[in-house]
Amino acid sequence: MSAEWAELFAFKESLKIVFSFNISKVIFGTTYASLVNRVKKCGKDITMMGYCIGEACKYMENFNFVVVIWANCNSNKVGDLLSKQAIKNSCNWTFDMDYPKDIHDFVI
């Protein structure tokens, strides 16, 4: 699965969760500008990705106010550090482990 498809899947699941909480106004942010542009052109994209985004847009009709924006995460130092550590450790961390002190200190 490509990163863009994973982001679309996460977006669709987020729509479902927010809808289940009866929230009427919501702003979604993503680091994928192409996803934001495709959502804004909902119904005009004839690709497979466009069809899936169209399905997600059906959930958006249930909100009084919904916006999808691009979020610049270039300064996400914690995420960057965690990504580098995961690569260094062969991406086999589990969520129930104690993380190294340098990560804890960086987050704090």
Side-chain angles (χ1 to χ4, degrees):
M1 176 183 291
S2 74
E4 191 170 22
W5 279 100
E7 188 76 13
L8 174 57
F9 178 77
F11 174 62
K12 286 170 64 174
E13 291 302 309
S14 298
L15 282 167
K16 292 176 188 176
I17 290 170
V18 171
F19 178 70
S20 71
F21 288 136
N22 293 324
I23 297 172
S24 62
K25 298 177 183 177
V26 64
I27 298 173
F28 292 98
T30 179
T31 58
Y32 281 90
S34 62
L35 182 62
V36 174
N37 291 333
R38 287 176 184 243
V39 168
K40 288 182 180 180
K41 296 177 184 177
C42 187
K44 297 177 184 171
D45 187 350
I46 60 170
T47 64
M48 195 64 161
M49 173 79 70
Y51 173 79
C52 291
I53 289 173
E55 293 294 308
C57 288
K58 290 178 184 176
Y59 278 97
M60 293 171 62
E61 295 170 359
N62 296 313
F63 299 101
N64 292 338
F65 177 81
V66 61
V67 178
V68 180
I69 61 169
W70 175 73
N72 182 356
C73 291
N74 289 338
S75 61
N76 187 347
K77 295 178 183 178
V78 173
D80 186 53
L81 178 67
L82 289 173
S83 297
K84 288 177 182 175
Q85 289 288 336
I87 291 169
K88 187 172 95 178
N89 292 306
S90 302
C91 302
N92 58 4
W93 280 0
T94 58
F95 287 103
D96 60 347
M97 70 174 282
D98 291 327
Y99 289 98
K101 185 174 179 349
D102 60 332
I103 291 177
H104 178 269
D105 292 343
F106 199 80
V107 171
I108 297 303

